[in-house]
Amino acid sequence: MIFGRGLFAGAAGCKSGQMPVYERHTHLPYPRPEVFDWFTRPGALVRLSPPFSGSVRQEPTDGIEPGSTAVLGIGAPGSLGLGLGSATGFLAGQLPFRRPDWAAPELPWRARHTELVPGEMFQDVMESGPLAAWTHTHLFEDAGVSAGTPGHVQPEATGMTDRIEYELPGGGLLEKASGALPGPLGKLGRVPEKVFEVELARIFAYRERQLLGDLAFHAEHAGPLTGGRTLTVAVAGASGLIGTQLCALLAGGGHTVLRLVRGEPGGAGAEDREDVIAWDPATGSLDADALARADVVVNLAGESIGGRYTPERKRAILDSRVDGTALLARALADLAADGLQRTLVNGSAVGYYGAHASDGDQWLGEDAPAGEDFLAQVCRDWEDATALAQTAGVRTVLVRTGIVQSPAGGMLQQMLPLFVAGAGGPLGVAGGRDPWISWIGIDDVAGIFAHAVLDGELEGPVNAVAPEPVRASEFARVLGRVLHRPSVIPVPGFGPRALLGTEGAELMVEASQRASAARVEGSGYLFRTPDLESTLRHVLGR
């Protein structure tokens, strides 16, 4: 994918008494109404929020309409924030309850939209947060190539400007105090602004790549933006790492997203909202009438596979996947009697092939046999639970995910604290073994699930992995290079075993799977970041 060029103009030279101004200009090769509409849809803030700088705690209450509010969590800048955020995020994932927002290593940022001129601009301000002041104005104008007539521009592209007026805590006291000092010392007061703008440049570079990537994805897939119809997609596991991004990506394309939530309509979980479907796999309950509204059901629900593999945890991992999938498959099979064509996109994983499927250099296509270990059994039973839907004629896609790369969760989140501290190294490398890692970036795994939703021809198992798997030693080298940290010394095997137990370490840390992306590429999916280094630089803002 070729991205548009972004231009940056900082705050240098701002007049005394005025707030500093940061601007970023982005060229988008899409019509202005199409670009502007993307910002008005649910999910835009989620898609634009970098995982290396914080999180979205509450999406806008009313889009970009004046008065709409949103709440973000803002992490510390640079490596400090990356290491602290990943460490606390990993620890929170081990808790048996949801961590309260006040315990997060982030400062709350409450934003409110204040102005809107449809198709041209909108503005938001910081109502409360870590800065003294912040006003963000989004400006849009037609941009394109000359049509031959002087001064005439074809409105086939958009020029977007992000203009930010801000004031750091302290109200510029350092700048005022240093202004009386002689020579270079008089410029010391500008240092905090320059550091702040370096962080802004990282954030807006990420936002630019995300926006261009999402617009390109929707241009390539049938939907409202390409003259196609709007789909209604029900998602189980919508609040998870993949589900959050998938829901936002689909909503940004104009599709309607429904979330399956445990509980009864009107209860604490479902809240009696039209975009919520009540279900409970443990009791076998599901609001089938509400599910009937969906053209596609995406199932991402399941207990985390992290942690020690006690008998109780193994049972929870298996049951949470099989029971929920069987419940959805049975409901879709029953609904098939109405004659409407529906689709089930069901999660799975490359663990299907077994932990040691590629101890040599074997490539694993979707026709490779299932393994015999615990996680292979889970994946096999998980996929088999879709049988009722397939028999009833429901188009079924089984997405076998690789190791997802995001500092917001999974393997990368667990590794970052050690690497940021300069103590990181290859995992699972011992006794001449250097296992294959079939990885995939968070945006590409969300993209492949969305591709499976929107491409009516794709069916059966498909590996959701990047085209270039790497050895564990290479993964560590690339991560160390991106973070500018050492990464040579392997992590001793007793560390993962102490944390995960013997079986957990063998199935997760020492697993070797070299899965092929040929089928998903052959179906027309275009990877955003097909190589590991570009993926890590994007999700880590480096």
Side-chain angles (χ1 to χ4, degrees):
M1 176 179 296
I2 300 176
F3 290 119
R5 296 179 59 192
L7 303 176
F8 160 73
C14 65
K15 297 180 180 179
S16 177
Q18 293 182 337
M19 287 194 293
V21 175
Y22 172 96
E23 287 191 354
R24 187 178 183 95
H25 309 285
T26 303
H27 178 80
L28 303 164
Y30 303 95
R32 178 161 54 96
E34 184 177 312
V35 174
F36 195 89
D37 284 351
W38 185 90
F39 281 90
T40 69
R41 298 191 178 107
L45 182 59
V46 169
R47 294 298 295 158
L48 293 177
S49 297
F52 55 80
S53 69
S55 61
V56 177
R57 295 185 180 179
Q58 175 198 298
E59 290 197 63
T61 54
D62 191 18
I64 60 173
E65 293 292 326
S68 177
T69 59
V71 181
L72 305 175
I74 305 300
S79 296
L80 172 63
L82 192 61
L84 183 61
S86 56
T88 56
F90 168 65
L91 292 175
Q94 309 308 306
L95 298 174
F97 54 86
R98 184 183 182 277
R99 179 189 63 189
D101 287 339
W102 57 263
E106 302 169 342
L107 296 175
W109 176 304
R110 185 179 179 84
R112 177 172 53 87
H113 287 274
T114 55
E115 295 185 36
L116 169 64
V117 179
E120 297 182 13
M121 66 84 69
F122 65 96
Q123 186 179 85
D124 59 83
V125 301
M126 186 194 73
E127 280 195 330
S128 61
L131 303 183
W134 168 283
T135 299
H136 183 181
T137 305
H138 314 246
L139 301 167
F140 303 81
E141 61 181 359
D142 292 331
V145 297
S146 171
T149 303
H152 179 69
V153 173
Q154 294 177 336
E156 64 209 10
T158 303
M160 183 180 74
T161 299
D162 289 283
R163 187 176 194 273
I164 295 167
E165 299 172 79
Y166 69 92
E167 185 173 316
L168 297 179
L173 292 178
L174 180 60
E175 182 177 2
K176 294 173 184 177
S178 64
L181 297 176
L185 294 177
K187 298 180 180 180
L188 285 176
R190 296 281 303 141
V191 171
E193 290 175 9
K194 291 182 180 297
V195 172
F196 182 66
E197 289 180 5
V198 168
E199 192 68 15
L200 285 180
R202 295 174 64 215
I203 290 171
F204 279 89
Y206 175 92
R207 289 168 63 101
E208 179 180 292
R209 289 191 296 268
Q210 287 293 94
L211 178 56
L212 282 160
D214 280 14
L215 291 172
F217 177 87
H218 295 306
E220 294 158 1
H221 289 81
L225 299 185
T226 56
R229 70 187 185 101
T230 298
L231 295 180
T232 298
V233 185
V235 181
S239 62
L241 180 65
I242 299 174
T244 298
Q245 296 301 323
L246 172 63
C247 291
L249 177 60
L250 289 170
H255 301 285
T256 300
V257 176
L258 310 176
R259 291 166 170 81
L260 282 97
V261 175
R262 286 177 174 81
E264 295 296 328
E271 299 177 358
D272 202 22
R273 290 163 26 195
E274 290 187 358
D275 63 343
V276 163
I277 299 173
W279 80 321
D280 188 349
T283 61
S285 63
L286 171 65
D287 187 344
D289 291 337
L291 190 70
R293 292 182 288 156
D295 301 292
V296 182
V297 176
V298 179
N299 181 26
L300 295 164
E303 186 82 10
S304 169
I305 62 171
R308 299 181 71 86
Y309 282 4
T310 63
E312 295 77 16
R313 183 156 187 79
K314 291 169 73 170
R315 175 52 58 186
I317 289 171
L318 178 62
D319 289 351
S320 64
R321 286 163 172 76
V322 174
D323 292 350
T325 301
L327 178 60
L328 292 170
R330 184 165 58 252
L332 287 170
D334 292 341
L335 291 172
D338 65 12
L340 299 178
Q341 178 61 57
R342 293 185 177 84
T343 295
L344 172 61
V345 179
N346 205 70
S348 185
V350 295
Y352 175 93
Y353 305 111
H356 302 292
S358 297
D359 277 346
D361 290 334
Q362 302 95 325
W363 281 99
L364 302 171
E366 288 80 358
D367 57 351
E372 299 296 333
D373 55 59
F374 168 67
L375 289 183
Q377 174 198 340
V378 169
C379 292
R380 185 172 62 249
D381 292 350
W382 195 4
E383 295 185 6
D384 288 348
T386 66
L388 280 177
Q390 295 187 57
T391 301
V394 176
R395 179 175 73 93
T396 303
V397 187
L398 306 169
V399 183
R400 296 173 180 168
T401 60
I403 299 175
V404 179
Q405 301 303 303
S406 170
M411 168 187 168
L412 183 59
Q413 183 188 64
Q414 297 170 24
M415 296 177 70
L416 278 174
L418 280 176
F419 272 82
V420 169
L427 290 171
V429 176
R433 295 187 73 255
D434 193 358
W436 285 101
I437 295 177
S438 287
W439 61 273
I440 185 167
I442 180 60
D443 292 308
D444 275 318
V445 72
I448 289 174
F449 271 97
H451 176 69
V453 167
L454 301 172
D455 183 349
E457 301 300 316
L458 189 59
E459 196 164 0
V462 58
N463 291 334
V465 295
E468 302 176 13
V470 297
R471 297 280 192 180
S473 58
E474 177 65 10
F475 186 98
R477 279 194 294 271
V478 174
L479 180 56
R481 183 163 64 243
V482 168
L483 295 173
H484 301 288
R485 296 292 192 275
S487 58
V488 177
I489 301 176
V491 175
F494 65 80
R497 278 177 163 73
L499 181 65
L500 302 171
T502 300
E503 185 177 17
E506 289 178 352
L507 297 182
M508 298 176 63
V509 176
E510 299 168 10
S512 183
Q513 291 134 350
R514 191 189 189 197
S516 169
R519 183 159 191 255
V520 73
E521 286 188 300
S523 72
Y525 182 76
L526 300 176
F527 280 86
R528 299 190 186 204
T529 51
D531 66 285
L532 181 62
E533 183 159 346
S534 65
T535 299
L536 294 178
R537 289 193 180 281
H538 178 56
V539 299
L540 299 178
R542 299 299 173 119

